[in-house]
């Protein structure tokens, strides 16, 4: 999470409307939830509680954390590095492909290589997120078919039937 939003994690926890927190729940899932909802969920037995808050991701069997597409709303609010894709490249990204330089419209200045990056359409709609395969400087000299963003998740996952992994 810190790869994408940096020190803005503090802003996610100490919000102006209500304090929020991260909770590890069943199936190694991490949820982002307000403290009032968390306290209310304590009155429900663990076996009867299916979900609470927003699922941000889960820990894999090897112990690595993997973000889910459900975290996109929060990533897009606090993202450090952003990329905008051309309308012709939107569908390709939404089908699970990487963003190529030919589909790149804009990129945040001074984006380092391997940084977490949020992908937007030209109308500022968040489409997904990934990892920058090239820094901003290297993108200028890249060939048109070179990868700029390595795909991790996109909003098309809702339609492709990956509900079991998300929820």
């Amino acid at each position: 999470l810190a790869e994408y939003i940096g020190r803005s994690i503090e802003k996610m926890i100490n919000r102006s409307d209500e304090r929020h927190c991260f909770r590890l729940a069943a199936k190694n899932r991490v949820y982002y939830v307000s403290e009032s909802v968390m306290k209310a969920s304590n009155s429900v037995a663990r076996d009867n509680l299916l979900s609470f808050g927003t699922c941000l991701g889960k820990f894999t069997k090897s112990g690595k954390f993997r973000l889910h597409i459900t975290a996109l709303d929060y990533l897009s609010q606090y993202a450090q590095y952003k990329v905008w894709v051309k309308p012709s490249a939107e569908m390709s990204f939404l089908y699970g492909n990487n963003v190529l330089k030919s589909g790149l419209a804009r990129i945040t200045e001074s984006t380092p290589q391997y940084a977490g990056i949020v992908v937007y359409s030209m109308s500022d709609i968040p489409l997904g997120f990934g990892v920058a395969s090239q820094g901003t400087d290297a993108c200028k000299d890249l060939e048109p078919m070179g990868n700029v963003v390595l795909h991790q998740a996109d909003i098309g996952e809702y339609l492709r039937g990956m509900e079991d992994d998300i929820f």
Side-chain angles (χ1 to χ4, degrees):
L1 189 60
E3 278 184 36
Y4 291 90
I5 64 175
R7 300 190 58 81
S8 295
I9 291 176
E10 293 174 19
K11 293 178 186 173
M12 283 182 71
I13 295 172
N14 299 320
R15 290 178 32 176
S16 60
D17 57 344
E18 186 178 1
R19 209 170 145 82
H20 284 64
C21 59
F22 300 103
R23 285 291 176 247
L24 182 63
K27 297 183 181 179
N28 291 326
R29 301 238 189 306
V30 176
Y31 291 90
Y32 176 65
V33 61
S34 68
E35 286 189 348
S36 62
V37 171
M38 185 189 65
K39 289 176 184 173
S41 70
N42 287 337
S43 63
V44 178
R46 275 196 181 267
D47 295 338
N48 296 336
L49 187 65
L50 180 63
S51 174
F52 66 102
T54 302
C55 181
L56 293 182
K58 70 175 187 173
F59 285 98
T60 62
K61 291 180 181 175
S62 63
K64 294 183 180 179
F65 185 70
R66 179 158 167 79
L67 281 170
H68 287 170
I69 191 60
T70 51
L72 183 61
D73 289 340
Y74 299 104
L75 291 179
S76 63
Q77 289 177 28
Y78 301 108
Q80 285 182 312
Y81 305 110
K82 302 174 183 180
V83 70
W84 288 264
V85 294
K86 294 177 182 174
S88 59
E90 284 180 23
M91 287 306 289
S92 175
F93 181 75
L94 293 176
Y95 281 123
N97 298 318
N98 298 330
V99 176
L100 304 176
K101 184 182 182 222
S102 60
L104 180 69
R106 291 187 311 193
I107 187 168
T108 306
E109 282 299 316
S110 68
T111 300
Q113 187 176 17
Y114 305 124
I117 195 162
V118 178
V119 179
Y120 289 88
S121 67
M122 286 303 291
S123 54
D124 282 334
I125 298 171
L127 301 175
F129 53 90
V131 176
S133 64
Q134 307 290 330
T136 305
D137 297 332
C139 286
K140 296 172 184 170
D141 301 328
L142 198 62
E143 59 196 38
M145 296 308 289
N147 288 328
V148 177
V149 177
L150 302 175
H151 178 275
Q152 282 192 333
D154 63 78
I155 55 176
E157 289 180 10
Y158 289 116
L159 302 175
R160 290 197 300 268
M162 299 181 180
E163 304 90 24
D164 297 336
D165 293 336
I166 295 174
F167 303 109

